Amino acid sequence: MQRLNIVITGHVDHGKSTLIGRLLADTDSLPQGKLESVKKMCENNARPFEYAFLLDALADEQKQGITIDSARVFFQSKKREYIIIDAPGHIEFLKNMISGASRAEAALLLIDAKEGVAENSKRHGMLLSLLGIKQVAIVVNKMDLVNFSEIAFTKLKVEYSEYLATLGIKSDIFIPISAREGVNLIEHSSSTPWYKGPTVLEILDSFKSVEEKENDDFRMPLQDVYKFTRDNDDRRIYAGTVTSGELNVGDEVVFYPSLKRSKVASIESFNTEVKTSVKESEAIGFTLQTQIYVRNGDVVARADQSAPKVSNRFEANLFWLGSKPLELDKPYKIKIGSAQSTIYLEEIKRVIDGDTLDRADEPSVGRHEAACVIFRVHDLLAMELFAENQKLGRFVIVDEYDIAGGGIITEVLEQYTTRRTKSLHVSDILVDKASTSAEFEEELFALLRKHFPHQFN
């Protein structure tokens, strides 16, 4: 059965945990007896039962009444399974919200019908846009508190649609619900006879999952190379997780940016039957007909399909959470796929504030601000546009030892050329030539094993 990763986000107290708890209960996705035990606990403590209690597994959450981490819960419709990422709504936990949302393929954004559009309603809408999540439904919760008023719903829909339009987002999906009462979650309700659109479950089932995409080219960020020497086992296993496409025994593969190539000799997996092909999302290893030296972080592609883009400059949408502002020409660390390198902010094209939306000519990007920027990377990296490959089009920025920001690649730019990068090009050419002479590397590897056996045990 297919799976879809969804994030449910919105301002604190707008009802995320209640919505998730009610979805779990109404789709019979809870462990047997869980609902009854929580109700019994509430009764014993003289507390009114709330569906949000089903998710409050963390003691601190129950103590503070807010969601601290991006909890992952599961439920199932008749069409497929869902992994729900409950993203925190409090402004101090925006980092966790980004972490959760970055794994999502679709999103539900909650707005309280009585309180209206809050600060974080705007921030989260902007954040989902910057992370490139296209499948978004706006769920107007607590309609029972405004007597299921169509006028109140329409007023909020118009207000938030105008805000989304300023971000370049068009969303026609607004659903009036009451998570506590179960209105319009699984079935349409007589409380909102004026609403003719889909229920929450119907809109979720209409979203497309990554697994439903076809004809994607093969991509695998190289995680590591494992070597075995015991019992004369000289295999070198190139390991990673397939982010898209399919790989078969006999396919010729190319490693980017080194451009080394060989043919797949076998596909290796632990404690499974022998495989001759692998597909997206599988964590696998494979051996090659010729042993070549490549770096962790290289991106593996099939020679008969399109190549990933290779550069040391790109334009991106960025959201910054660091305690210190993102500054021009200061070294940071970047992680794309399994590749890591040093990165510099080359240009700030536009800074976007969550409230005022736009501030130009800023010398830095401050905490909780978003921006359109140009980055320059120390090394050549293989990368993709987010619109073409979500997993290789996202990146994380580390400032010193803290994750300080993240974003998506919107355009790969011409390489930044210096004396060093020129030497890199020459090196690449030499490497490319060497890759065509696989016998040379095989002989070199044999010599290394012969004279430095301790390095291979």
Side-chain angles (χ1 to χ4, degrees):
M1 180 175 280
Q2 293 176 342
R3 278 189 173 181
L4 182 76
N5 294 321
I6 60 170
V7 62
I8 297 181
T9 186
H11 190 61
V12 64
D13 289 335
H14 279 202
K16 297 183 298 299
S17 296
T18 302
L19 172 59
I20 296 171
R22 187 83 200 209
L23 280 173
L24 294 175
D26 288 0
T27 56
D28 296 324
S29 299
L30 290 168
Q32 189 173 8
K34 180 71 173 178
L35 181 62
E36 291 74 16
S37 67
V38 174
K39 286 183 175 179
K40 185 68 175 177
M41 179 193 70
C42 293
E43 183 180 335
N44 292 340
N45 291 281
R47 299 179 63 186
F49 168 76
E50 294 184 21
Y51 284 94
F53 294 161
L54 295 168
L55 294 185
D56 289 339
L58 297 174
D60 281 344
E61 286 188 358
Q62 291 183 347
K63 183 178 178 181
Q64 299 181 31
I66 53 178
T67 302
I68 291 175
D69 204 347
S70 296
R72 286 157 59 93
V73 294
F74 303 83
F75 84 100
Q76 182 174 321
S77 71
K78 293 180 180 177
K79 180 179 179 180
R80 62 184 165 205
E81 296 176 340
Y82 290 91
I83 300 176
I84 303 177
I85 305 165
D86 176 23
H90 196 279
I91 190 170
E92 294 303 319
F93 304 133
L94 274 175
K95 183 183 292 187
N96 291 344
M97 188 272 174
I98 287 182
S99 173
S102 65
R103 302 191 299 271
E105 299 162 69
L108 297 179
L109 195 155
L110 266 73
I111 299 177
D112 187 318
K114 186 174 182 180
E115 184 177 336
V117 177
E119 176 189 1
N120 267 356
S121 304
K122 293 183 177 179
R123 287 182 184 276
H124 290 178
M126 179 180 63
L127 188 57
L128 294 175
S129 167
L130 291 172
L131 290 174
I133 299 175
K134 302 293 186 185
Q135 303 180 107
V136 181
I138 314 302
V139 181
V140 182
N141 190 25
K142 303 185 183 181
M143 286 295 297
D144 51 310
L145 299 184
V146 294
N147 297 318
F148 298 102
S149 166
E150 181 180 8
I151 294 175
F153 173 76
T154 303
K155 181 181 177 183
L156 189 149
K157 179 179 178 180
V158 170
E159 178 186 356
Y160 201 66
S161 294
E162 290 176 351
Y163 171 76
L164 292 179
T166 62
L167 300 176
I169 303 173
K170 182 181 179 182
S171 178
D172 298 324
I173 309 170
F174 283 75
I175 307 175
I177 71 164
S178 169
R180 186 175 63 182
E181 305 296 331
V183 170
N184 294 332
L185 298 187
I186 310 299
E187 297 177 348
H188 288 87
S189 171
S190 58
S191 299
T192 55
W194 44 267
Y195 177 68
K196 306 300 181 186
T199 65
V200 171
L201 193 61
E202 286 174 342
I203 200 65
L204 288 175
D205 280 347
S206 73
F207 288 150
K208 299 287 186 184
S209 72
V210 172
E211 295 174 359
E212 292 174 291
K213 294 181 179 178
E214 297 179 351
N215 302 322
D216 280 346
D217 292 338
F218 175 78
R219 298 285 188 270
M220 189 189 88
L222 184 63
Q223 197 76 37
D224 211 339
V225 180
Y226 297 98
K227 294 170 285 189
F228 302 91
T229 56
R230 290 183 178 178
D231 303 324
N232 296 320
D233 184 355
D234 61 351
R235 291 177 299 165
R236 291 168 61 87
I237 298 179
Y238 303 82
T241 299
V242 180
T243 63
S244 62
E246 181 176 355
L247 181 70
N248 308 287
V249 172
D251 284 340
E252 186 177 18
V253 293
V254 183
F255 293 77
Y256 292 90
S258 65
L259 299 179
K260 294 185 177 183
R261 62 177 63 206
S262 183
K263 287 188 176 181
V264 176
S266 68
I267 291 174
E268 309 285 336
S269 59
F270 179 71
N271 202 24
T272 63
E273 296 181 357
V274 175
K275 292 185 175 183
T276 57
S277 66
V278 290
K279 295 182 177 178
E280 181 177 319
S281 300
E282 291 188 70
I284 54 99
F286 58 82
T287 63
L288 296 174
Q289 293 182 3
T290 55
Q291 296 184 353
I292 60 177
Y293 297 90
V294 288
R295 295 190 310 171
N296 294 349
D298 280 7
V299 173
V300 190
R302 279 173 45 175
D304 62 336
Q305 296 179 338
S306 71
K309 297 173 177 60
V310 174
S311 184
N312 58 5
R313 290 177 73 237
F314 64 88
E315 187 171 317
N317 288 338
L318 169 95
F319 198 88
W320 190 249
L321 299 167
S323 56
K324 300 176 184 177
L326 174 67
E327 299 176 343
L328 293 166
D329 296 324
K330 175 184 173 182
Y332 298 92
K333 295 293 182 184
I334 186 172
K335 185 173 185 297
I336 301 178
S338 59
Q340 299 184 45
S341 184
T342 301
I343 194 169
Y344 300 88
L345 177 62
E346 181 178 298
E347 179 183 346
I348 300 173
K349 300 192 72 173
R350 193 165 70 116
V351 175
I352 308 167
D353 183 88
D355 297 322
T356 61
L357 293 181
D358 205 339
R359 291 180 10 228
D361 301 327
E362 290 290 328
S364 62
V365 182
R367 185 179 176 86
H368 295 156
E369 286 184 331
C372 176
V373 299
I374 293 177
F375 279 119
R376 186 177 73 249
V377 193
H378 185 270
D379 304 297
L380 289 174
L381 295 180
M383 60 186 81
E384 300 274 19
L385 300 181
F386 180 80
E388 297 174 357
N389 188 315
Q390 294 190 5
K391 293 176 182 175
L392 287 176
R394 284 177 175 148
F395 62 87
V396 169
I397 302 291
V398 176
D399 184 13
E400 297 178 349
Y401 298 100
D402 293 326
I403 294 177
I408 61 172
I409 299 170
T410 56
E411 187 174 356
V412 177
L413 304 175
E414 185 178 352
Q415 294 179 20
Y416 176 79
T417 304
T418 64
R419 180 178 297 177
R420 181 184 178 284
T421 52
K422 285 179 178 177
S423 67
L424 274 176
H425 295 321
V426 173
S427 174
D428 288 342
I429 294 169
L430 293 175
V431 165
D432 192 25
K433 287 182 177 178
S435 69
T436 62
S437 303
E439 297 82 2
F440 166 78
E441 290 193 337
E442 197 168 356
E443 291 174 6
L444 176 61
F445 182 63
L447 286 171
L448 289 171
R449 286 189 60 188
K450 178 180 178 181
H451 296 290
F452 303 96
H454 59 285
Q455 298 289 341
F456 297 88
N457 293 322

